[in-house]
Amino acid sequence: MQQFLHFFSNGTDDKKYKGERSPCDPSRVLHIRRVPIEVSEAEVVSLGVPFGKVTNLLLLKGKNQAFIEMASEEAAITMVNYYTTATPHVRNQPVYIQYSNHRELKTDNLPNQGVRITCILVPWESGIPTSAVVRLRAQAALQAVNAMHSGNMTLSGTATASDGGMMPGQSPVLRLIVENLYYPVSLEVLHQIFSKFGTVLKIITFTKNNQFQALLQYADPMNAHHAKVALDGQNIYNGCCTLRVEFSKLTSLNVKYNNDKSRDFTRLDLPSGDGQPTLDPTMQSAFGAPGIISSPYPGAAGFAPAIGFHQAGLSMQTMPGALGHLTIPSSAMTGRMTIHGMAPTAIHSVLLVSNLNPESISPHGLFILFGVYGDVHRVKILFNKKENALIQMADATQAQLAMSHLNGQRLHGKVIRVTISKHQTVQLPREGQEDQGLTKDFSGSPLHRFKKPGSKNFQNIFPPSATLHLSNIPPSTTDDFLKDLFASSGYTVKAFKFFQKDRKMALIQLGSVEEAIQALIDLHNHDLGENHHLRVSFSKSTI
């Protein structure tokens, strides 16, 4: 007796599906292609439950295909929209999801069950029809996975925290903290790293306690568990940007806007909400004000991140949907190790700064300001367009960092624009060429903040703010002296305080961010006497 498919309907044969429709039209029934032959029913159902209840399942292992039926057409549309932009992986293999040209899976109704199970008839074995076994297994998968995602049951298994396993009822939401944030870490970077472990549904970035943090929601708690085990304590870049990964108390994220601070990958229709809070009020109270890092690092600008592991060839083949085998290329000896699947994009280290105030700007002023985010080698204010300047940073990463923080800031009354230039270097004027002092070479300047490897300055890079951090203050200097220094330079001093444990450092709050930017340019390296020069940087603290 050959194996064949059959669907029950009150004990009589019926068509495989009912309600024929165009393949292009949305349907509650979704067709999944290239399904691994070893896949389980629960794994297939898990693809759908983040978007709504799965009411039916048909798994055709011999054909590497499956059909799932969602409770509503809206849930199916959301699922297809999401997986169109983020290809799902099952057992490390990509699968493809599209609308079926059928409106409904025709099944029998099992008594006292909230879901319907499609049956597959195969030969009888030991007096028991294999179809019954398949039906019961599919029924159990639907019930278990649906219940788990609706919070009606805990995860199965006996793993405990002590053996590093998954705890019952673990959340699919991870809380991420990036320590030693020297290089940019964007929402896109996080998505590319964590999507190697499973389907990422939502990400929210914010700042709390002067740290860049994020909440990330997976489709499945098991994906979150694998990501936590593999990535906690790892460096995104060699020697910095260390990931701290823990489970969140939240079980779901509510994303209101799709922008560079937050993203709901299941809702492509959300507004950008420029200037609006990313977190809803309940989450905001728990995790602090979002968006203190202005436009957290536009990954779309071409920044090519890398993840640096302490050991070469870290293997995670045993983890479903994991990064796979990572190897360190020869370029990593002098640079960073690229994540598999994240192709580097060429970025130059030269910035184009436009909309400058030509009456007020100088190469030295641009050197001091952009030097907060990297070591500036050369500055050139364009001879015939003095509202534009080229700034060459020490490397492309520092250029990206400066652009991320300074684009859109006000300087000398004008909102400046900072982009990556097409030029690879800033050319010095030829001998005898008229330049009017508009081009300066700062490559040997003693004022570079980052020339010492491992400098603490790497850990204290913050966006412009009205509060400035002052350091290298002589012991005899008083608070009145420093307040008068800023006031006499034309700045409004709103607050001042020395650090309690170290009077070599202080915070000063000025009238606006624009004032603070100008004050940093004017007073950084100011001679305070006693062989001390004032060091000025932006602070995340408030007074």
Side-chain angles (χ1 to χ4, degrees):
M1 180 178 180
Q2 295 183 340
Q3 180 172 322
F4 62 96
L5 297 177
H6 186 78
F7 291 79
F8 287 91
S9 179
N10 296 323
T12 61
D13 295 353
D14 202 346
K15 290 183 178 180
K16 185 174 181 179
Y17 304 102
K18 61 180 183 178
E20 301 290 334
R21 56 163 50 190
S22 167
C24 298
D25 292 337
S27 167
R28 290 195 301 130
V29 180
L30 300 176
H31 179 209
I32 307 174
R33 296 180 291 114
R34 298 186 65 179
V35 177
I37 193 168
E38 69 274 13
V39 73
S40 68
E41 289 85 351
E43 288 174 294
V44 176
V45 175
S46 291
L47 292 170
V49 289
F51 307 93
K53 186 175 182 180
V54 179
T55 54
N56 207 344
L57 164 68
L58 170 60
L59 181 57
L60 306 175
K61 291 188 176 183
K63 296 182 178 294
N64 300 104
Q65 298 181 36
F67 292 85
I68 62 173
E69 180 185 276
M70 305 299 292
S72 69
E73 190 171 285
E74 180 182 4
I77 292 172
T78 301
M79 179 175 170
V80 170
N81 286 343
Y82 173 76
Y83 287 131
T84 299
T85 59
T87 302
H89 287 68
V90 176
R91 301 202 175 213
N92 289 326
Q93 296 185 35
V95 297
Y96 301 93
I97 300 176
Q98 63 192 36
Y99 297 118
S100 169
N101 62 338
H102 307 286
R103 185 185 302 273
E104 181 181 8
L105 289 177
K106 178 63 179 175
T107 66
D108 61 333
N109 294 313
L110 297 176
N112 301 320
Q113 301 294 341
V115 295
R116 296 169 299 168
I117 310 300
T118 297
C119 301
I120 305 176
L121 273 185
V122 293
W124 286 55
E125 295 180 5
S126 303
I128 303 175
T130 308
S131 61
V133 177
V134 173
R135 176 170 61 181
L136 291 175
R137 190 168 64 236
Q139 172 189 338
L142 278 169
Q143 287 182 309
V145 180
N146 277 322
M148 181 181 72
H149 281 264
S150 62
N152 293 332
M153 66 175 290
T154 58
L155 291 165
S156 61
T158 58
T160 63
S162 60
D163 63 21
M166 187 170 174
M167 294 292 289
Q170 214 157 60
S171 171
V173 179
L174 295 176
R175 182 179 181 181
L176 317 176
I177 299 174
V178 183
E179 298 178 346
N180 194 10
L181 184 70
Y182 175 48
Y183 293 129
V185 177
S186 68
L187 184 148
E188 287 82 4
V189 168
L190 293 176
H191 182 263
Q192 290 186 62
I193 293 173
F194 282 83
S195 62
K196 302 296 181 180
F197 295 84
T199 301
V200 176
L201 300 183
K202 304 171 186 178
I203 302 177
I204 297 174
T205 64
F206 58 97
T207 297
K208 183 182 180 184
N209 299 330
N210 297 335
Q211 290 179 313
F212 178 68
Q213 302 189 24
L215 294 169
L216 184 146
Q217 180 179 346
Y218 275 109
D220 193 318
M222 187 60 73
N223 300 143
H225 171 73
H226 289 150
K228 179 183 183 301
V229 170
L231 296 177
D232 185 31
Q234 301 291 352
N235 294 330
I236 297 177
Y237 307 100
N238 286 345
C240 65
C241 297
T242 305
L243 278 170
R244 300 300 177 193
V245 185
E246 60 188 36
F247 286 104
S248 171
K249 295 180 181 179
L250 300 170
T251 57
S252 180
L253 300 180
N254 179 23
V255 176
K256 300 164 67 175
Y257 305 105
N258 281 340
N259 52 37
D260 54 3
K261 301 183 185 71
S262 64
R263 198 77 50 82
D264 185 337
F265 296 95
T266 71
R267 292 283 310 278
L268 304 181
D269 58 324
L270 290 180
S272 62
D274 292 337
Q276 298 296 322
T278 299
L279 300 179
D280 63 26
T282 56
M283 295 172 64
Q284 196 169 33
S285 61
F287 293 100
I292 297 176
I293 295 181
S294 58
S295 297
Y297 318 123
F303 186 77
I307 186 159
F309 291 92
H310 302 302
Q311 300 294 331
L314 175 63
S315 177
M316 289 178 280
Q317 296 281 15
T318 58
M319 297 182 181
L323 285 167
H325 194 72
L326 297 175
T327 57
I328 299 181
S330 58
S331 60
M333 298 303 176
T334 56
R336 296 180 299 279
M337 176 179 135
T338 57
I339 298 179
H340 176 68
M342 299 178 70
T345 305
I347 310 176
H348 300 151
S349 60
V350 178
L351 297 170
L352 171 63
V353 187
S354 57
N355 203 39
L356 294 165
N357 187 333
E359 304 299 324
S360 306
I361 202 62
S362 69
H364 177 77
L366 292 173
F367 164 72
I368 294 297
L369 176 59
F370 281 76
V372 173
Y373 301 106
D375 291 337
V376 177
H377 284 192
R378 293 177 181 176
V379 178
K380 179 188 224 35
I381 297 176
L382 302 190
F383 185 79
N384 294 322
K385 296 182 179 180
K386 293 185 174 61
E387 67 276 9
N388 299 321
L390 295 173
I391 300 177
Q392 182 178 336
M393 308 296 291
D395 59 43
T397 302
Q398 293 182 4
Q400 179 81 17
L401 191 60
M403 181 180 71
S404 300
H405 285 306
L406 294 176
N407 181 45
Q409 297 292 343
R410 294 185 68 86
L411 178 62
H412 300 299
K414 303 191 74 173
V415 177
I416 64 173
R417 300 299 174 198
V418 184
T419 59
I420 300 293
S421 170
K422 65 181 180 180
H423 298 284
Q424 297 186 33
T425 60
V426 171
Q427 297 294 330
L428 296 175
R430 294 188 298 272
E431 186 176 352
Q433 182 181 6
E434 185 181 5
D435 182 67
Q436 297 180 355
L438 298 177
T439 305
K440 295 289 185 183
D441 187 344
F442 297 98
S443 56
S445 173
L447 297 183
H448 285 162
R449 298 176 185 245
F450 307 104
K451 58 185 177 181
K452 294 181 180 179
S455 169
K456 289 185 178 180
N457 291 330
F458 293 151
Q459 304 175 32
N460 294 303
I461 298 175
F462 302 116
S465 65
T467 303
L468 295 173
H469 180 274
L470 311 180
S471 60
N472 201 36
I473 301 171
S476 60
T477 302
T478 64
D479 54 353
D480 287 337
F481 176 85
L482 290 171
K483 286 190 287 185
D484 289 344
L485 173 64
F486 280 81
S488 62
S489 301
Y491 304 112
T492 304
V493 178
K494 288 192 168 184
F496 178 93
K497 73 172 183 180
F498 277 109
F499 280 56
Q500 289 184 349
K501 296 183 179 180
D502 188 355
R503 285 182 62 87
K504 294 179 183 178
M505 297 187 293
L507 296 177
I508 187 166
Q509 183 179 341
L510 303 183
S512 66
V513 174
E514 184 178 3
E515 272 196 42
I517 290 174
Q518 189 58 52
L520 182 144
I521 293 173
D522 291 345
L523 296 174
H524 179 67
N525 201 45
H526 180 82
D527 190 352
L528 296 176
E530 303 180 40
N531 200 29
H532 284 69
H533 288 77
L534 183 65
R535 295 183 60 84
V536 185
S537 57
F538 297 114
S539 174
K540 277 295 189 69
S541 303
T542 56
I543 304 176

